[in-house]
Amino acid sequence: MKIRLKLFFALFFASLGLFAWQAPTVHAETTYTIGTDVTFPPFVYANSNNKYVGIDMELIRSIAKEEGFKVDIKPLGFNAAVQSLSSGQIDGVIAGMTITDERKQTLDFSTPYYESGIVMAVAPSSKITSLKGLKGKTVAVKTGTQGAAYANSIKDKYGFKVVTFDDSDNVYNDVKTGNSAACFDDSAVLNYGVKTGLGLKVVTKPADVGQYGFAVKKGQNQKLLKMFNAGLAKLKKNGKYDQIIKKYTGKTATSKTTKSNSEDRTFLGLLRQNQKAILNGILETLKLTIVSIICATIFGILVGLLGVLPNKFARGASTTIIYIFRGLPLLVLALFIYNGIPSLTGTKIPAFVAGIITLTLNEGAYTAAFVKGGIDAVDSGQMEAARSLGLPFGKAMRKVILPQGIKIMVPSFINQFIITLKDTSILSIIGILELTQTGKIIIARNLEGFKVWAIIAVIYLLIITLLTLLSKWVERRIND
Ligand code: ASN
């Protein structure tokens, strides 16, 4: 038991080491964390090496170079990026973001760097040619965008229903599959898409025309904003700005999709091209799983034991913790910890740490429930007998009850480990680049939804099989 305990603590402290290792990238003084969209070509998208490129990416990197700061780019998705900016989790957003009066109430914008309006796109075979044709139909938009606001402002007038997706690719796909009759998105993006083989046609003139700007939270990161403006002015003066725009919108600009059509699109080909990104995703998933299994197990055992103490308050505390954290949906808990708490306290919580806290509380609550149940399941006569032999409560628990209870709990532990691994995928919502988020980003680039999700699913099953085999081996050792 002692050796096992030592091993347990060694692993626990090793995992704390991982936290410490994560922290510096976020707090380093001259590195600013910049949130962006997952895919919004020609402004932001992953190229065939899964590196983020596009007008916005080149602008921010060139400005950083010009002004002497570093950027850590986080492709969170448009809505998540704006949320993270509002809660102070990131320092700025550049994502083809339109400067609007409403946004100006909570954000400060740079000088404008591009103009765009909102247009409607339909499938090439569609008979719809104007807004009037939308009566009774469904229209797809992206969460939190100006396109979504525009659609909602005219939906009653034209009698259509709005469905919302988190990424532009899912918006376009919904139109292509025929679930939605049309979509609204930025003219600068849809016109570029039409030109480069997106497979949709634009049928309206740009409405609500506005300007794109780089944004920081209102009143904060003013130094960064000033540097952005100064850098942008320099790039405009020295010709670099024009060069970037030409590179992505000029005649020689090629599509992210047409280009990748020449790539090998078999399962093996896709695996090979995305090998590095997938491997990094697997590593991040494993890191999240291992650290959170350790933390959740410790937390769960402590809370579970609290629930069997001969003390009313201890039992009450245990029941309340289990009630709250088992009751909250994991997604809500993750967003609350990552976005909610920092907006109240003003302190950043790195996404990895927020993810670990989320899983520890949620999985720990389930663990506590079966630890408590496992101990309760041991015949009450056992405790009475041990006590009547003169053993104090603690010793009776350790020597008589726990060894029997643990045997009952082992299958539940294994189950919980597997659930923890699967639940790490939910953390893609806070932008952690684990396996699921990696899949999303790869698909955003090559639109191979079926094949990439199949690859990701098989990888999860392989990791789960390994984890199950390992757990069964440990179970056999315990039962020997
Ligand atoms: N243009 C969008 C907006 O400003 C942003 C985006 O979709 N990336 O709402």
Side-chain angles (χ1 to χ4, degrees), residues 37 40 78 95-99 103 118 142 144-147 168 185-186 212:
D37 211 335
F40 205 52
F78 181 71
M97 184 176 189
T98 316
I99 305 170
R103 287 177 178 158
I118 305 294
K142 186 165 68 178
T145 58
Q146 213 212 346
S168 287
D185 209 348
D186 293 18
Y212 286 168

Side-chain angles (χ1 to χ4, degrees), residues 397-471:
M397 191 51 112
R398 249 183 312 130
K399 296 275 180 206
V400 181
I401 309 298
L402 275 183
Q404 300 179 60
I406 285 174
K407 285 209 167 123
I408 302 173
M409 293 168 212
V410 168
S412 308
F413 269 115
I414 296 178
N415 202 24
Q416 201 57 43
F417 294 165
I418 292 170
I419 293 174
T420 308
L421 167 61
K422 289 194 292 181
D423 283 351
T424 55
S425 68
I426 290 188
L427 301 175
S428 59
I429 192 78
I430 55 175
I432 299 183
L433 246 178
E434 42 64 72
L435 202 48
T436 304
Q437 181 76 351
T438 306
K440 275 196 219 171
I441 288 176
I442 295 174
I443 293 164
R445 182 177 62 76
N446 63 17
L447 306 179
E448 290 284 355
F450 174 74
K451 286 179 191 158
V452 176
W453 283 130
I455 292 174
I456 300 287
V458 169
I459 296 176
Y460 271 116
L461 284 178
L462 280 176
I463 307 178
I464 281 171
T465 309
L466 284 179
L467 186 64
T468 312
L469 288 175
L470 184 75
S471 307

